[in-house]
Amino acid sequence: MVNRGTNRDTTSKDFYGSSVSNGLANIYSSDNDFSLEVWVYLKPGSNAEIPILYAGGNTWPKISYQDGAIWFYINDFTFITHALESINESIHIVTTYSKNIITLYVNGKLVNFATLNNFQFDNTDLPYFQIGPTNLSTDSFIVDAPAIYRY
């Protein structure tokens, strides 16, 4: 019988065994896989970018909508996109990041991916995630069940 009393280590650990005070999408944790998931119903009134789920404070990653497509960015120059057939419905979006690949799933189907070559996030702060807002009053959307998973 295992005693799960006083000797339990309840500290979260990253892949190398150190504490996870900086454990997602920053310069200290580019080796830590994660996924972002969200349900969204878009009502764009323009072709401007609509941020859906993103790390605030000019950090990454980011899921957004623009010009009829879903975009997943991990920095200004590294992103994948997928043109939507329709936006008059709820859309389930899942994005994943690992050290060697990023993927984009829409409604349960893998729609795009990109391989990475020793990618490393350059932000030093732990990102804080937010939903929206859109900058134009003609754009709106409904978001449900946002989730962030770190593996």
mmCIF file with all atom_site columns, all heavy atoms in Angstrom, residues 92-106:
data_model
loop_
_atom_site.group_PDB
_atom_site.id
_atom_site.type_symbol
_atom_site.label_atom_id
_atom_site.label_alt_id
_atom_site.label_comp_id
_atom_site.label_asym_id
_atom_site.label_entity_id
_atom_site.label_seq_id
_atom_site.pdbx_PDB_ins_code
_atom_site.Cartn_x
_atom_site.Cartn_y
_atom_site.Cartn_z
_atom_site.occupancy
_atom_site.B_iso_or_equiv
_atom_site.pdbx_formal_charge
_atom_site.auth_seq_id
_atom_site.auth_comp_id
_atom_site.auth_asym_id
_atom_site.auth_atom_id
_atom_site.pdbx_PDB_model_num
ATOM 1   N N   . HIS A 1 92  ? -15.488 24.921 -34.385 1.00 0.00 ? 92  HIS A N   1
ATOM 2   C CA  . HIS A 1 92  ? -14.597 24.413 -33.348 1.00 0.00 ? 92  HIS A CA  1
ATOM 3   C C   . HIS A 1 92  ? -13.171 24.514 -33.872 1.00 0.00 ? 92  HIS A C   1
ATOM 4   O O   . HIS A 1 92  ? -12.836 23.939 -34.911 1.00 0.00 ? 92  HIS A O   1
ATOM 5   C CB  . HIS A 1 92  ? -14.949 22.965 -33.017 1.00 0.00 ? 92  HIS A CB  1
ATOM 6   C CG  . HIS A 1 92  ? -14.138 22.398 -31.915 1.00 0.00 ? 92  HIS A CG  1
ATOM 7   N ND1 . HIS A 1 92  ? -13.496 21.192 -32.018 1.00 0.00 ? 92  HIS A ND1 1
ATOM 8   C CD2 . HIS A 1 92  ? -13.848 22.860 -30.675 1.00 0.00 ? 92  HIS A CD2 1
ATOM 9   C CE1 . HIS A 1 92  ? -12.858 20.930 -30.895 1.00 0.00 ? 92  HIS A CE1 1
ATOM 10  N NE2 . HIS A 1 92  ? -13.047 21.939 -30.064 1.00 0.00 ? 92  HIS A NE2 1
ATOM 11  N N   . ILE A 1 93  ? -12.316 25.232 -33.152 1.00 0.00 ? 93  ILE A N   1
ATOM 12  C CA  . ILE A 1 93  ? -10.932 25.450 -33.569 1.00 0.00 ? 93  ILE A CA  1
ATOM 13  C C   . ILE A 1 93  ? -10.003 24.861 -32.516 1.00 0.00 ? 93  ILE A C   1
ATOM 14  O O   . ILE A 1 93  ? -10.167 25.128 -31.328 1.00 0.00 ? 93  ILE A O   1
ATOM 15  C CB  . ILE A 1 93  ? -10.630 26.953 -33.715 1.00 0.00 ? 93  ILE A CB  1
ATOM 16  C CG1 . ILE A 1 93  ? -11.591 27.601 -34.707 1.00 0.00 ? 93  ILE A CG1 1
ATOM 17  C CG2 . ILE A 1 93  ? -9.174  27.178 -34.114 1.00 0.00 ? 93  ILE A CG2 1
ATOM 18  C CD1 . ILE A 1 93  ? -11.572 29.113 -34.658 1.00 0.00 ? 93  ILE A CD1 1
ATOM 19  N N   . VAL A 1 94  ? -9.040  24.074 -32.964 1.00 0.00 ? 94  VAL A N   1
ATOM 20  C CA  . VAL A 1 94  ? -7.990  23.556 -32.093 1.00 0.00 ? 94  VAL A CA  1
ATOM 21  C C   . VAL A 1 94  ? -6.659  23.810 -32.790 1.00 0.00 ? 94  VAL A C   1
ATOM 22  O O   . VAL A 1 94  ? -6.509  23.501 -33.974 1.00 0.00 ? 94  VAL A O   1
ATOM 23  C CB  . VAL A 1 94  ? -8.147  22.051 -31.807 1.00 0.00 ? 94  VAL A CB  1
ATOM 24  C CG1 . VAL A 1 94  ? -6.964  21.528 -30.990 1.00 0.00 ? 94  VAL A CG1 1
ATOM 25  C CG2 . VAL A 1 94  ? -9.454  21.766 -31.101 1.00 0.00 ? 94  VAL A CG2 1
ATOM 26  N N   . THR A 1 95  ? -5.723  24.380 -32.058 1.00 0.00 ? 95  THR A N   1
ATOM 27  C CA  . THR A 1 95  ? -4.371  24.570 -32.568 1.00 0.00 ? 95  THR A CA  1
ATOM 28  C C   . THR A 1 95  ? -3.413  23.873 -31.627 1.00 0.00 ? 95  THR A C   1
ATOM 29  O O   . THR A 1 95  ? -3.660  23.811 -30.419 1.00 0.00 ? 95  THR A O   1
ATOM 30  C CB  . THR A 1 95  ? -4.008  26.061 -32.665 1.00 0.00 ? 95  THR A CB  1
ATOM 31  O OG1 . THR A 1 95  ? -4.086  26.649 -31.362 1.00 0.00 ? 95  THR A OG1 1
ATOM 32  C CG2 . THR A 1 95  ? -4.960  26.790 -33.593 1.00 0.00 ? 95  THR A CG2 1
ATOM 33  N N   . THR A 1 96  ? -2.339  23.328 -32.181 1.00 0.00 ? 96  THR A N   1
ATOM 34  C CA  . THR A 1 96  ? -1.347  22.682 -31.339 1.00 0.00 ? 96  THR A CA  1
ATOM 35  C C   . THR A 1 96  ? 0.040   23.206 -31.682 1.00 0.00 ? 96  THR A C   1
ATOM 36  O O   . THR A 1 96  ? 0.302   23.607 -32.820 1.00 0.00 ? 96  THR A O   1
ATOM 37  C CB  . THR A 1 96  ? -1.341  21.149 -31.500 1.00 0.00 ? 96  THR A CB  1
ATOM 38  O OG1 . THR A 1 96  ? -0.913  20.809 -32.822 1.00 0.00 ? 96  THR A OG1 1
ATOM 39  C CG2 . THR A 1 96  ? -2.713  20.565 -31.217 1.00 0.00 ? 96  THR A CG2 1
ATOM 40  N N   . TYR A 1 97  ? 0.891   23.209 -30.680 1.00 0.00 ? 97  TYR A N   1
ATOM 41  C CA  . TYR A 1 97  ? 2.289   23.577 -30.849 1.00 0.00 ? 97  TYR A CA  1
ATOM 42  C C   . TYR A 1 97  ? 3.158   22.504 -30.211 1.00 0.00 ? 97  TYR A C   1
ATOM 43  O O   . TYR A 1 97  ? 2.880   22.054 -29.099 1.00 0.00 ? 97  TYR A O   1
ATOM 44  C CB  . TYR A 1 97  ? 2.588   24.915 -30.160 1.00 0.00 ? 97  TYR A CB  1
ATOM 45  C CG  . TYR A 1 97  ? 4.071   25.148 -29.947 1.00 0.00 ? 97  TYR A CG  1
ATOM 46  C CD1 . TYR A 1 97  ? 4.841   25.726 -30.949 1.00 0.00 ? 97  TYR A CD1 1
ATOM 47  C CD2 . TYR A 1 97  ? 4.698   24.755 -28.774 1.00 0.00 ? 97  TYR A CD2 1
ATOM 48  C CE1 . TYR A 1 97  ? 6.209   25.899 -30.769 1.00 0.00 ? 97  TYR A CE1 1
ATOM 49  C CE2 . TYR A 1 97  ? 6.070   24.930 -28.590 1.00 0.00 ? 97  TYR A CE2 1
ATOM 50  C CZ  . TYR A 1 97  ? 6.813   25.498 -29.586 1.00 0.00 ? 97  TYR A CZ  1
ATOM 51  O OH  . TYR A 1 97  ? 8.155   25.662 -29.416 1.00 0.00 ? 97  TYR A OH  1
ATOM 52  N N   . SER A 1 98  ? 4.150   22.062 -30.917 1.00 0.00 ? 98  SER A N   1
ATOM 53  C CA  . SER A 1 98  ? 5.233   21.289 -30.324 1.00 0.00 ? 98  SER A CA  1
ATOM 54  C C   . SER A 1 98  ? 6.513   21.829 -30.939 1.00 0.00 ? 98  SER A C   1
ATOM 55  O O   . SER A 1 98  ? 6.470   22.623 -31.881 1.00 0.00 ? 98  SER A O   1
ATOM 56  C CB  . SER A 1 98  ? 5.071   19.790 -30.548 1.00 0.00 ? 98  SER A CB  1
ATOM 57  O OG  . SER A 1 98  ? 5.272   19.468 -31.902 1.00 0.00 ? 98  SER A OG  1
ATOM 58  N N   . LYS A 1 99  ? 7.621   21.431 -30.430 1.00 0.00 ? 99  LYS A N   1
ATOM 59  C CA  . LYS A 1 99  ? 8.895   22.022 -30.844 1.00 0.00 ? 99  LYS A CA  1
ATOM 60  C C   . LYS A 1 99  ? 9.138   21.914 -32.350 1.00 0.00 ? 99  LYS A C   1
ATOM 61  O O   . LYS A 1 99  ? 9.817   22.749 -32.928 1.00 0.00 ? 99  LYS A O   1
ATOM 62  C CB  . LYS A 1 99  ? 10.033  21.364 -30.073 1.00 0.00 ? 99  LYS A CB  1
ATOM 63  C CG  . LYS A 1 99  ? 11.340  22.068 -30.198 1.00 0.00 ? 99  LYS A CG  1
ATOM 64  C CD  . LYS A 1 99  ? 12.365  21.482 -29.263 1.00 0.00 ? 99  LYS A CD  1
ATOM 65  C CE  . LYS A 1 99  ? 13.657  22.270 -29.339 1.00 0.00 ? 99  LYS A CE  1
ATOM 66  N NZ  . LYS A 1 99  ? 14.642  21.790 -28.397 1.00 0.00 ? 99  LYS A NZ  1
ATOM 67  N N   . ASN A 1 100 ? 8.546   20.911 -32.997 1.00 0.00 ? 100 ASN A N   1
ATOM 68  C CA  . ASN A 1 100 ? 8.822   20.671 -34.416 1.00 0.00 ? 100 ASN A CA  1
ATOM 69  C C   . ASN A 1 100 ? 7.657   20.901 -35.366 1.00 0.00 ? 100 ASN A C   1
ATOM 70  O O   . ASN A 1 100 ? 7.825   20.803 -36.573 1.00 0.00 ? 100 ASN A O   1
ATOM 71  C CB  . ASN A 1 100 ? 9.343   19.246 -34.602 1.00 0.00 ? 100 ASN A CB  1
ATOM 72  C CG  . ASN A 1 100 ? 10.629  19.023 -33.848 1.00 0.00 ? 100 ASN A CG  1
ATOM 73  O OD1 . ASN A 1 100 ? 11.509  19.870 -33.866 1.00 0.00 ? 100 ASN A OD1 1
ATOM 74  N ND2 . ASN A 1 100 ? 10.729  17.900 -33.153 1.00 0.00 ? 100 ASN A ND2 1
ATOM 75  N N   . ILE A 1 101 ? 6.449   21.197 -34.837 1.00 0.00 ? 101 ILE A N   1
ATOM 76  C CA  . ILE A 1 101 ? 5.289   21.332 -35.716 1.00 0.00 ? 101 ILE A CA  1
ATOM 77  C C   . ILE A 1 101 ? 4.193   22.160 -35.054 1.00 0.00 ? 101 ILE A C   1
ATOM 78  O O   . ILE A 1 101 ? 4.034   22.130 -33.839 1.00 0.00 ? 101 ILE A O   1
ATOM 79  C CB  . ILE A 1 101 ? 4.743   19.939 -36.122 1.00 0.00 ? 101 ILE A CB  1
ATOM 80  C CG1 . ILE A 1 101 ? 3.731   20.050 -37.266 1.00 0.00 ? 101 ILE A CG1 1
ATOM 81  C CG2 . ILE A 1 101 ? 4.177   19.204 -34.927 1.00 0.00 ? 101 ILE A CG2 1
ATOM 82  C CD1 . ILE A 1 101 ? 3.366   18.702 -37.883 1.00 0.00 ? 101 ILE A CD1 1
ATOM 83  N N   . ILE A 1 102 ? 3.451   22.903 -35.876 1.00 0.00 ? 102 ILE A N   1
ATOM 84  C CA  . ILE A 1 102 ? 2.207   23.535 -35.426 1.00 0.00 ? 102 ILE A CA  1
ATOM 85  C C   . ILE A 1 102 ? 1.093   23.011 -36.319 1.00 0.00 ? 102 ILE A C   1
ATOM 86  O O   . ILE A 1 102 ? 1.312   22.717 -37.495 1.00 0.00 ? 102 ILE A O   1
ATOM 87  C CB  . ILE A 1 102 ? 2.260   25.085 -35.463 1.00 0.00 ? 102 ILE A CB  1
ATOM 88  C CG1 . ILE A 1 102 ? 2.634   25.616 -36.847 1.00 0.00 ? 102 ILE A CG1 1
ATOM 89  C CG2 . ILE A 1 102 ? 3.189   25.604 -34.395 1.00 0.00 ? 102 ILE A CG2 1
ATOM 90  C CD1 . ILE A 1 102 ? 2.564   27.138 -36.970 1.00 0.00 ? 102 ILE A CD1 1
ATOM 91  N N   . THR A 1 103 ? -0.098  22.851 -35.733 1.00 0.00 ? 103 THR A N   1
ATOM 92  C CA  . THR A 1 103 ? -1.225  22.323 -36.487 1.00 0.00 ? 103 THR A CA  1
ATOM 93  C C   . THR A 1 103 ? -2.469  23.169 -36.240 1.00 0.00 ? 103 THR A C   1
ATOM 94  O O   . THR A 1 103 ? -2.598  23.835 -35.220 1.00 0.00 ? 103 THR A O   1
ATOM 95  C CB  . THR A 1 103 ? -1.541  20.866 -36.103 1.00 0.00 ? 103 THR A CB  1
ATOM 96  O OG1 . THR A 1 103 ? -1.885  20.818 -34.718 1.00 0.00 ? 103 THR A OG1 1
ATOM 97  C CG2 . THR A 1 103 ? -0.365  19.945 -36.390 1.00 0.00 ? 103 THR A CG2 1
ATOM 98  N N   . LEU A 1 104 ? -3.390  23.101 -37.197 1.00 0.00 ? 104 LEU A N   1
ATOM 99  C CA  . LEU A 1 104 ? -4.669  23.790 -37.098 1.00 0.00 ? 104 LEU A CA  1
ATOM 100 C C   . LEU A 1 104 ? -5.766  22.808 -37.483 1.00 0.00 ? 104 LEU A C   1
ATOM 101 O O   . LEU A 1 104 ? -5.725  22.216 -38.570 1.00 0.00 ? 104 LEU A O   1
ATOM 102 C CB  . LEU A 1 104 ? -4.692  25.008 -38.034 1.00 0.00 ? 104 LEU A CB  1
ATOM 103 C CG  . LEU A 1 104 ? -6.006  25.753 -38.215 1.00 0.00 ? 104 LEU A CG  1
ATOM 104 C CD1 . LEU A 1 104 ? -6.504  26.336 -36.896 1.00 0.00 ? 104 LEU A CD1 1
ATOM 105 C CD2 . LEU A 1 104 ? -5.846  26.857 -39.258 1.00 0.00 ? 104 LEU A CD2 1
ATOM 106 N N   . TYR A 1 105 ? -6.716  22.612 -36.567 1.00 0.00 ? 105 TYR A N   1
ATOM 107 C CA  . TYR A 1 105 ? -7.878  21.763 -36.796 1.00 0.00 ? 105 TYR A CA  1
ATOM 108 C C   . TYR A 1 105 ? -9.120  22.639 -36.790 1.00 0.00 ? 105 TYR A C   1
ATOM 109 O O   . TYR A 1 105 ? -9.264  23.506 -35.928 1.00 0.00 ? 105 TYR A O   1
ATOM 110 C CB  . TYR A 1 105 ? -8.035  20.719 -35.690 1.00 0.00 ? 105 TYR A CB  1
ATOM 111 C CG  . TYR A 1 105 ? -6.920  19.709 -35.606 1.00 0.00 ? 105 TYR A CG  1
ATOM 112 C CD1 . TYR A 1 105 ? -5.727  20.009 -34.947 1.00 0.00 ? 105 TYR A CD1 1
ATOM 113 C CD2 . TYR A 1 105 ? -7.070  18.439 -36.176 1.00 0.00 ? 105 TYR A CD2 1
ATOM 114 C CE1 . TYR A 1 105 ? -4.703  19.078 -34.868 1.00 0.00 ? 105 TYR A CE1 1
ATOM 115 C CE2 . TYR A 1 105 ? -6.050  17.499 -36.090 1.00 0.00 ? 105 TYR A CE2 1
ATOM 116 C CZ  . TYR A 1 105 ? -4.870  17.830 -35.439 1.00 0.00 ? 105 TYR A CZ  1
ATOM 117 O OH  . TYR A 1 105 ? -3.861  16.905 -35.349 1.00 0.00 ? 105 TYR A OH  1
ATOM 118 N N   . VAL A 1 106 ? -10.010 22.409 -37.749 1.00 0.00 ? 106 VAL A N   1
ATOM 119 C CA  . VAL A 1 106 ? -11.292 23.109 -37.785 1.00 0.00 ? 106 VAL A CA  1
ATOM 120 C C   . VAL A 1 106 ? -12.385 22.048 -37.861 1.00 0.00 ? 106 VAL A C   1
ATOM 121 O O   . VAL A 1 106 ? -12.358 21.194 -38.757 1.00 0.00 ? 106 VAL A O   1
ATOM 122 C CB  . VAL A 1 106 ? -11.394 24.089 -38.976 1.00 0.00 ? 106 VAL A CB  1
ATOM 123 C CG1 . VAL A 1 106 ? -12.781 24.687 -39.068 1.00 0.00 ? 106 VAL A CG1 1
ATOM 124 C CG2 . VAL A 1 106 ? -10.332 25.184 -38.854 1.00 0.00 ? 106 VAL A CG2 1
#
